[in-house]
């Protein structure tokens, strides 16, 4: 039968799709099946399947195959154009166009597009936009068919087209390995499936090179490694491709000759070789050189006698002296040890001496928190770097911020290799650079472990604040955090802001977490639910961010009549949803870890609007939604630099509990200001406290030591 898609009801991660549809003989029915993956409201489909009785939807069509067809009736054409599939045409304009051209509408858009200007409200500019959008939609539909033929998810079509445009089909058929690293969601396995079905030999140099590069990129993205030991890389690539290790070694040699990878001595392992992707090798070298330059440079800070603050603890006073006398230095310490108060004292001293100070942090929330704790203006590192070229208007900072006498980087454990290189390259000689952080927290999301590596270089001055102040000692959260940090399980079930609820079944744990976050805590504390943040150690599974986030969305922002929504893969975005960017977008001025609310979903413009927590309105096209994620439940990693009044988190050993480790639990607990409630098993909690994660493969410490010992140029 042929039918039009009216509304998507549900999409699972495995692409199983439920949709409301309408056909000429069956005015309204529900269809379901994985064959519907990627369909959108407004499309006309030729369906094959079987009718069945469903307890919720009644008579339902279980679809076994689905083919897109050109709408042939006036009603279907009007629904297609008014659905938002063709950017720039909304329901009202769709009616006007179809009223004018009738059943020939799509043929005219395709073959005589200049005639669109016959319709009122369509001038040359809008006509051009509609034609381009029509062509884009046709190309994406063709890509979906092509991908389905390769046994690959058709949901990738829009992403592939966004990256490669008109050459997308040619890339798929001739060199699908180009998709890796460029199209989000495409790893080696997907590209390899297309290539092998296209006839690429399993021993093809093109295939093996792509596999080696993929293993390096996966190690950087998933585990934060800057390099892999040669034997590990050979073994991983051989397993991925099913080819002989000797052939993989030859492939690495070829990539080295092509300067796509760099092979050098492995740090800390004489006689062993390390393999870097060229970009990460260059950035690690550049960061070491930048830091060595800053360490060697004579200070431009005009030192004069200053009065020590008697309210500071002795190690805080030592930290102030260190920051004033060393051009690169580090302050570390756990919660309640006075890091922010020390930063405030350092900044006040510099300003009292006539100097200038810039306070920064890697994320907007961390910068805002730093400003609140110190009482001084703070900005993100990204904004500071942007203002290097476009100085502030003077209302916040009186000088180009990278040229301050002292630059403080708070939450320095979040600095990855990429951001650290940009930061240090922008700082002029003589400026003091002070890193402040907690080395026991999780490392950065991106590759590298910058703060940990700097602490391994003896030549860089550092002070660890260890004294826990009395007001902090009264916090159950801070007590529990320091016990976890020391490798001890806090007394259970806890007290004074730290609480543990024991449940075994992961499904029950998820339901309890949702109840606590949406009902129990808001009712007990008389607060709105948006003051409670759910943090999860993992993304997948019954207690992961995806499933718990979906449950929270259904509870807090369910589908409602008149509230616009859009499905992007298995994720539905509605007005009122809490969201966060998962990628830095310098054009939009949004950065990983910020949060906001969806204020509008505009199908005919194929975009949604987000108002960030700092009041900025940002637009995301429907083809850019892989840059967003819901913020109902977020990973512990993405919570770094943020603080929430109340935190609820599942702690279970799902999937072997591979993410359960001390740094994750410690970071999780320290995100809460008033209460943190953990729900799960004692075994999982004990595993998290006991397990120390493996170090990242980096060479920064060795390079920096070598640079500092080398003769100055």
């Amino acid at each position: 039968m042929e039918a039009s898609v009216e509304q998507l009801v549900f999409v699972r991660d495995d692409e199983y799709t439920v949709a409301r549809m309408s056909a000429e003989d069956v005015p309204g029915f529900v269809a379901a099946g994985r064959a519907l993956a990627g369909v959108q409201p407004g499309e006309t489909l030729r369906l094959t399947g079987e009718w069945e009785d469903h307890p919720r939807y009644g008579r339902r069509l279980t679809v076994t195959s689905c083919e897109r067809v050109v709408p042939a009736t006036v009603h279907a054409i009007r629904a297609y154009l008014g659905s938002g599939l063709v950017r720039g045409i909304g329901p009202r304009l769709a009616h006007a166009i179809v009223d004018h051209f009738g059943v020939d509408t799509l043929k005219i858009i395709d073959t005589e597009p200049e005639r669109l200007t016959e319709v009122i409200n369509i001038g040359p500019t809008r006509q051009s936009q509609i034609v381009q959008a029509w062509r884009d939609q046709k190309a994406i539909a063709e890509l979906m068919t092509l991908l389905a033929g390769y046994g690959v998810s058709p949901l990738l079509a829009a992403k592939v087209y966004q990256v490669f445009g008109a050459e997308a089909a040619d890339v798929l058929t001739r060199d699908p390995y180009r998709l890796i690293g460029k199209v989000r969601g495409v790893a080696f396995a997907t590209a390899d499936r297309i290539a092998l079905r296209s006839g690429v030999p399993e021993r093809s140099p093109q295939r093996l090179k792509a596999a080696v590069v993929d293993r390096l990129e996966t190690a950087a993205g998933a585990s934060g490694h800057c390099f892999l030991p040669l034997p590990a890389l050979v073994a991983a690539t051989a397993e991925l491709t099913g080819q002989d290790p000797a052939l993989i070694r030859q492939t690495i040699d070829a990539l080295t000759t092509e300067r796509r990878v760099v092979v050098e001595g492995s740090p800390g392992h004489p006689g062993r070789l390390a393999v870097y992707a060229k970009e990460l090798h260059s950035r690690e070298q550049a960061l070491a050189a930048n830091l060595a330059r800053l360490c060697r440079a004579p200070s431009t800070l005009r030192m004069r006698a200053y009065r020590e603050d008697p309210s500071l603890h002795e190690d805080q006073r030592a930290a102030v002296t260190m920051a004033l006398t060393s051009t690169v230095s580090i302050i570390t310490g756990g919660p309640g040890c006075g890091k922010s108060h020390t930063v405030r004292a350092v900044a006040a001293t510099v300003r009292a001496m006539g100097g200038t100070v810039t306070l920064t942090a890697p994320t907007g929330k961390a910068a805002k928190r730093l400003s609140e704790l110190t009482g001084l203006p703070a900005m993100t590192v990204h904004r500071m770097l942007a203002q290097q070229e476009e100085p502030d208007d003077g209302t916040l900072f009186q000088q180009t911020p990278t040229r301050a006498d002292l630059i403080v980087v708070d939450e320095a454990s979040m600095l990855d290799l990429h951001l650290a290189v940009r930061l240090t390259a922008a700082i002029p000689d003589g400026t003091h650079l002070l890193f402040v952080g907690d080395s026991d927290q999780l490392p950065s999301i991106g590759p590298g472990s910058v703060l940990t590596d700097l602490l391994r270089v003896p030549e860089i001055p550092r002070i660890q604040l260890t004294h826990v102040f009395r007001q902090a000692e009264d916090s159950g959260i801070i007590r529990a955090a320091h016990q976890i940090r020391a490798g001890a399980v806090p007394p259970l079930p806890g007290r004074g802001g730290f609480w543990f609820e024991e449940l075994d079944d992961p499904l029950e744990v998820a339901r309890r977490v949702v109840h606590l976050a949406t009902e129990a805590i808001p009712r007990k504390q008389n607060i709105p639910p948006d003051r409670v943040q759910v943090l999860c150690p993992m993304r997948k599974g019954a207690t992961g961010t995806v499933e718990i986030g979906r449950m929270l969305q259904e509870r807090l922002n369910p589908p409602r009549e008149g509230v616009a929504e859009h499905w992007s893969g298995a994720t539905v975005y509605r007005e009122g949803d809490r969201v966060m960017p998962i990628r830095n977008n310098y054009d939009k001025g949004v950065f990983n870890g910020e949060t906001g609310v969806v204020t509008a979903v505009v199908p005919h413009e194929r975009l949604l609007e987000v108002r960030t927590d700092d009041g900025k309105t940002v637009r995301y096209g429907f083809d850019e939604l892989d840059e967003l994620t819901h913020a109902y439940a977020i990973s512990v990693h993405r919570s770094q630099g943020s603080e929430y009044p109340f935190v609820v988190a599942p702690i279970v050993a799902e999937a072997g509990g591979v993410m359960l480790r001390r740094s994750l639990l410690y970071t999780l607990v320290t995100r809460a200001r008033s209460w943190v409630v953990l729900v799960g098993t004692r075994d999982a909690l004990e595993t998290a406290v006991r397990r120390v994660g493996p170090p990242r493969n980096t060479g920064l410490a060795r390079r920096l030591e070598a640079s500092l010992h080398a003769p100055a140029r």
Side-chain angles (χ1 to χ4, degrees):
M1 65 187 303
E2 286 191 7
S4 297
V5 183
E6 293 186 340
Q7 180 189 13
L8 295 182
V9 177
F10 183 74
V11 183
R12 266 192 337 223
D13 281 344
D14 64 358
E15 299 179 359
Y16 182 88
T17 301
V18 180
R20 298 192 187 280
M21 310 196 70
S22 180
E24 190 172 343
D25 298 332
V26 189
F29 66 95
V30 171
R34 292 185 65 188
L36 293 173
V39 302
Q40 292 290 315
E43 289 187 309
T44 298
L45 310 173
R46 183 175 292 117
L47 305 173
T48 302
E50 294 183 0
W51 291 105
E52 64 174 11
D53 290 325
H54 189 273
R56 179 176 179 183
Y57 298 113
R59 194 164 181 247
R60 187 182 78 168
L61 183 68
T62 299
V63 179
T64 54
S65 70
C66 163
E67 177 187 352
R68 287 168 174 79
V69 296
V70 177
T73 67
V74 167
H75 175 78
I77 294 170
R78 188 179 286 123
Y80 176 78
L81 291 180
S83 68
L85 276 169
V86 180
R87 189 192 300 269
I89 301 181
R92 187 175 299 176
L93 189 56
H95 273 74
I97 294 172
V98 178
D99 286 348
H100 188 78
F101 295 116
V103 293
D104 294 329
T105 296
L106 300 183
K107 179 181 176 183
I108 286 170
I109 294 176
D110 203 31
T111 61
E112 301 177 80
E114 65 279 356
R115 291 189 58 193
L116 282 171
T117 55
E118 297 174 13
V119 180
I120 193 167
N121 291 330
I122 297 183
T125 300
R126 175 168 278 192
Q127 180 261 354
S128 177
Q129 292 172 343
I130 291 172
V131 170
Q132 185 59 52
W134 167 258
R135 289 172 179 164
D136 291 345
Q137 187 59 34
K138 278 187 66 179
I140 291 170
E142 290 170 2
L143 285 176
M144 293 179 85
T145 302
L146 188 59
L147 287 167
Y150 288 126
V152 173
S153 170
L155 298 179
L156 291 173
K159 299 177 186 178
V160 174
Y161 187 75
Q162 184 184 10
V163 174
F164 293 103
E167 65 169 336
D170 192 55
V171 170
L172 281 175
T173 54
R174 293 178 179 272
D175 189 5
Y177 296 111
R178 285 179 63 191
L179 303 176
I180 302 172
K182 293 185 178 179
V183 178
R184 189 172 179 82
V186 177
F188 178 82
T190 300
D192 197 43
R193 182 182 303 168
I194 298 171
L196 293 178
R197 291 199 177 191
S198 301
V200 173
E202 290 189 359
R203 294 169 60 90
S204 160
Q206 173 194 32
R207 178 176 186 252
L208 300 183
K209 288 176 183 178
V212 170
V213 172
D214 175 79
R215 292 299 83 189
L216 288 173
E217 291 179 347
T218 298
S223 303
H225 295 310
C226 292
F227 69 84
L228 282 178
L230 178 60
L233 177 60
V234 169
T237 309
E239 181 181 1
L240 182 66
T241 59
Q243 298 302 306
D244 186 86
L247 189 57
I248 304 303
R249 181 63 190 267
Q250 293 173 18
T251 302
I252 294 172
D253 290 341
L255 286 168
T256 305
T257 302
E258 295 171 10
R259 297 186 178 181
R260 294 174 62 187
V261 304
V262 176
V263 180
E264 64 178 26
S266 178
H269 296 280
R272 293 185 63 183
L273 296 176
V275 186
Y276 284 82
K278 181 66 170 68
E279 180 191 24
L280 289 182
H281 184 264
S282 298
R283 294 199 174 184
E284 203 174 76
Q285 285 184 316
L287 179 55
N290 292 343
L291 287 166
R293 168 180 60 82
L294 294 173
C295 286
R296 286 199 185 106
S299 170
T300 58
L301 187 62
R302 297 178 182 86
M303 287 293 296
R304 63 170 186 252
Y306 66 92
R307 292 182 60 187
E308 290 188 337
D309 185 345
S311 68
L312 297 178
H313 189 266
E314 59 180 319
D315 56 2
Q316 290 179 304
R317 290 196 294 272
V320 172
T321 301
M322 174 190 70
L324 296 176
T325 55
S326 304
T327 50
V328 178
S329 59
I330 305 169
I331 296 174
T332 63
C337 292
K339 293 192 300 295
S340 299
H341 190 62
T342 306
V343 169
R344 181 167 56 191
V346 172
T349 304
V350 171
R351 295 171 79 176
M353 295 165 58
T356 54
V357 180
T358 298
L359 302 185
T360 72
T363 66
K365 280 199 169 184
K368 182 178 180 182
R369 187 173 169 220
L370 176 63
S371 181
E372 290 170 350
L373 292 171
T374 62
L376 298 169
M379 62 167 68
T380 64
V381 176
H382 301 95
R383 183 180 172 194
M384 180 185 73
L385 296 172
Q387 286 188 219
Q388 183 183 8
E389 297 178 358
E390 300 178 16
D392 194 270
D393 60 9
T395 58
L396 184 59
F397 295 94
Q398 297 300 320
Q399 80 293 322
T400 304
T402 53
R403 296 190 175 277
D405 294 293
L406 169 70
I407 295 175
V408 178
V409 183
D410 195 23
E411 296 286 358
S413 63
M414 298 176 66
L415 278 180
D416 66 11
L417 184 60
H418 303 301
L419 185 57
V421 168
R422 294 184 61 220
L423 166 70
T424 53
I427 298 175
D429 291 357
T431 291
H432 287 229
L433 176 59
L434 173 62
F435 295 101
V436 181
D438 187 341
S439 57
D440 291 302
Q441 287 190 18
L442 284 168
S444 58
I445 293 177
S449 52
V450 174
L451 180 62
T452 300
D453 285 347
L454 295 184
L455 290 169
R456 290 166 54 199
V457 180
E459 290 83 356
I460 296 182
R462 84 287 308 276
I463 283 179
Q464 182 178 12
L465 305 179
T466 57
H467 177 72
V468 180
F469 289 88
R470 180 168 297 174
Q471 62 270 30
E473 287 180 335
D474 296 333
S475 165
I477 292 173
I478 291 178
R479 281 198 307 271
H482 282 281
Q483 287 163 335
I484 292 167
R485 194 182 195 209
V489 177
L492 301 179
R495 63 188 179 90
F498 174 84
W499 193 257
F500 175 77
E501 286 195 13
E502 189 165 11
L503 279 176
D504 290 332
D505 180 25
L507 293 175
E508 286 298 321
V509 169
R511 284 192 279 266
R512 180 60 178 163
V513 165
V514 171
H515 175 74
L516 285 166
T518 60
E519 294 184 38
I521 293 176
R523 183 172 60 246
K524 183 178 179 63
Q525 300 294 331
N526 194 27
I527 57 169
D530 62 9
R531 296 194 67 201
V532 183
Q533 180 63 56
V534 173
L535 302 180
C536 301
M538 300 177 65
R539 181 178 178 275
K540 296 185 177 180
T543 59
T545 59
V546 174
E547 284 304 317
I548 290 184
R550 184 174 288 162
M551 294 166 69
L552 288 165
Q553 183 190 30
E554 288 301 305
R555 187 74 62 90
L556 298 172
N557 193 28
R560 301 185 302 281
E561 189 73 29
V563 175
E565 64 179 38
H566 173 74
W567 284 86
S568 175
T571 303
V572 60
Y573 291 96
R574 299 187 184 107
E575 293 178 10
D577 276 340
R578 292 286 298 172
V579 294
M580 71 187 317
I582 57 176
R583 227 169 28 199
N584 296 334
N585 188 316
Y586 298 96
D587 294 333
K588 296 182 189 299
V590 295
F591 302 102
N592 189 354
E594 295 180 343
T595 53
V597 176
V598 176
T599 53
V601 178
V602 191
H604 69 276
E605 292 294 337
R606 297 195 62 74
L607 59 83
L608 56 80
E609 290 186 349
V610 175
R611 186 182 67 249
T612 63
D613 287 346
D614 61 3
K616 181 170 49 185
T617 297
V618 184
R619 290 185 160 198
Y620 283 89
F622 286 171
D623 56 359
E624 299 176 305
L625 294 182
D626 60 347
E627 295 186 16
L628 279 183
T629 188
H630 284 134
Y632 294 107
I634 63 177
S635 70
V636 180
H637 240 127
R638 296 199 184 281
S639 73
Q640 284 180 273
S642 299
E643 189 179 66
Y644 311 96
F646 301 89
V647 167
V648 184
I651 300 293
V652 297
E654 265 195 297
V658 292
M659 294 301 295
L660 293 180
R661 57 191 60 169
R662 188 183 301 166
S663 59
L664 181 140
L665 180 62
Y666 175 72
T667 303
L668 188 165
V669 169
T670 55
R671 296 312 90 203
R673 186 164 57 245
S674 298
W675 272 90
V676 57
V677 181
L678 308 179
V679 184
T681 66
R682 288 179 181 246
D683 285 348
L685 185 64
E686 290 170 0
T687 297
V689 172
R690 183 177 63 249
R691 183 186 290 159
V692 178
R696 293 181 169 186
N697 296 332
T698 67
L700 176 61
R702 173 180 61 89
R703 293 187 202 285
L704 181 52
E705 280 197 79
S707 297
L708 291 172
H709 292 151
R713 294 182 180 179

